[in-house]
Amino acid sequence: MNQVEILVARAIFPDVLDALSAHFKVESNQTDEVWSGAELSRRMQGKVGALTTGSERIDSALLQANPQLRIVANMAVGYNNFDVPAMTAAGVLASNTPDVLTETTADFGFALLMATARRITESEHFLRAGKWTKWSYDMFAGAEVHGSTIGIIGIGRIGQGIARRAAHGFGMNVIYHNRSRLSPELEAECKARYVSKQELLQTADHVMLVVPYSAESHHTIGAAELALMKPSATLVNIARGGIVDDAALAKALAAGQIAAAGLDVFEGEPQVHPDLLKVPNVVLTPHIASATVKTRRAMAQLAADNLIAYLTRGQALTPLNTLPGAAA
């Protein structure tokens, strides 16, 4: 049984690594180096399975160099690091970790919205710099959240969680735009109303992005879209880097075209566009929306369980693709 070799491409919880080692011969990366594509491909040699994160690109070149590979399990709900069609063509199963991070990520999305609207980061920097010497009526006066209008672009599981928090917890008017409408039952549950993207951008006090990344969703928010938003509006991105044109956003923030932004994801992360670091009216966090101990453990365990289930029983728990002639 231990002759089957797998790769764990980034550091994970030691007990999850132990669980994998009970089934497979494991090469792990507990030093947590971020490997180049060439080094990742080299490490994949001889491995039939791999546990990856969003930093590991699985593309046709890697697949061609590793024809023995059977499954790659992503420790993330997003999978824009996977070329899924190429994986399917190569007979490699792809899996992700949906559901286990939904509520935690929705919590963080709302926390980032609150921090952005109420200028928390900006005011903390002011305080730490020793600039707080008196109270004034307009000191860091931000945007109202309770009773305002939130526009959600992308209303899958996480977007629905944000809608419920907004409508039921903060009495917000919820509007949304998506490739397809929710069922009437889900719309009622979320108290959400479907609108066009243009109407959402023009009317929302707060715009929240939760759309999956794809070629079609690249720069969903760019200069033209930012120009449609209210000068008092905020923008929050907990989706993926590339959904927002970060350079255009930095210009809009510097010009006061919108009031503020909150970003957990970035184009080319972990690099951040330098102009975003120069504007005060943006809250920046390092892709931590799912970062609670409980949730990260659940993500690691589900990724491991996908490897164990597929390589021992031929059926993954949360597959992204279906392979011809294989159980998925």
Side-chain angles (χ1 to χ4, degrees):
M1 185 176 293
N2 287 336
Q3 295 308 304
V4 174
E5 295 186 44
I6 67 166
L7 177 70
V8 177
R10 294 292 300 276
I12 60 171
F13 297 97
D15 56 307
V16 178
L17 196 61
D18 290 343
L20 286 167
S21 296
H23 293 271
F24 313 114
K25 182 178 179 181
V26 179
E27 179 183 344
S28 64
N29 180 17
Q30 289 300 89
T31 57
D32 209 34
E33 299 173 58
V34 179
W35 293 325
S36 67
E39 179 65 10
L40 176 64
S41 184
R42 187 184 74 78
R43 300 272 186 167
M44 286 277 196
Q45 294 294 309
K47 310 302 191 300
V48 297
L51 190 154
T52 58
T53 68
S55 59
E56 288 74 55
R57 176 69 178 160
I58 307 301
D59 56 18
S60 57
L62 182 144
L63 295 165
Q64 288 171 16
N66 293 276
Q68 80 291 336
L69 195 61
R70 293 178 55 200
I71 176 174
V72 183
N74 225 29
M75 186 182 147
V77 66
Y79 51 92
N80 51 296
N81 57 312
F82 283 1
D83 184 336
V84 176
M87 293 175 74
T88 302
V92 176
L93 194 81
S95 71
N96 66 339
T97 59
D99 300 324
V100 295
L101 51 70
T102 297
E103 298 303 332
T104 297
T105 304
D107 281 349
F108 187 86
F110 221 88
L112 192 54
L113 167 61
M114 294 289 291
T116 301
R118 298 301 303 272
R119 303 175 68 181
I120 288 175
T121 297
E122 193 178 353
S123 63
E124 183 186 3
H125 289 167
F126 176 85
L127 181 151
R128 287 180 180 275
K131 296 179 180 179
W132 184 29
T133 58
K134 64 177 182 177
W135 179 92
S136 60
Y137 76 95
D138 61 348
M139 184 171 69
F140 296 106
E144 200 72 41
V145 175
H146 191 276
S148 64
T149 296
I150 184 170
I152 302 171
I153 298 180
I155 197 158
R157 297 177 184 91
I158 296 168
Q160 290 166 36
I162 290 165
R164 289 192 299 271
R165 285 160 175 76
H168 298 287
F170 286 79
M172 298 177 81
N173 174 41
V174 180
I175 57 178
Y176 77 95
H177 182 72
N178 204 47
R179 284 184 300 178
S180 57
R181 287 190 65 164
L182 296 176
S183 68
E185 293 77 17
L186 275 176
E187 284 192 341
E189 179 185 325
C190 297
K191 294 188 176 181
R193 179 172 62 90
Y194 179 84
V195 297
S196 67
K197 180 180 173 183
Q198 180 174 336
E199 181 180 347
L200 184 148
L201 293 170
Q202 289 175 329
T203 60
D205 299 304
H206 308 286
V207 175
M208 178 80 71
L209 303 173
V210 208
V211 63
Y213 183 83
S214 66
E216 291 73 26
S217 64
H218 182 73
H219 285 184
T220 292
I221 301 295
E225 288 77 19
L226 290 162
L228 293 174
M229 294 173 63
K230 298 177 179 180
S232 57
T234 70
L235 175 73
V236 174
N237 185 11
I238 59 166
R240 278 290 185 271
I243 299 294
V244 174
D245 181 339
D246 287 352
L249 176 60
K251 289 180 182 178
L253 290 168
Q257 192 172 6
I258 65 171
L263 306 173
D264 186 49
V265 290
F266 307 89
E267 291 189 275
E269 60 183 55
Q271 284 72 42
V272 177
H273 194 288
D275 289 347
L276 286 172
L277 302 174
K278 299 174 185 176
V279 290
N281 50 337
V282 61
V283 181
L284 307 171
T285 56
H287 204 147
I288 57 170
S290 65
T292 66
V293 173
K294 179 181 178 182
T295 295
R296 287 286 171 84
R297 277 191 167 277
M299 292 166 66
Q301 189 61 60
L302 180 52
D305 287 346
N306 271 306
L307 283 166
I308 294 167
Y310 190 69
L311 292 176
T312 63
R313 302 190 298 275
Q315 188 168 3
L317 303 178
T318 53
L320 290 164
N321 58 346
T322 301
L323 304 180

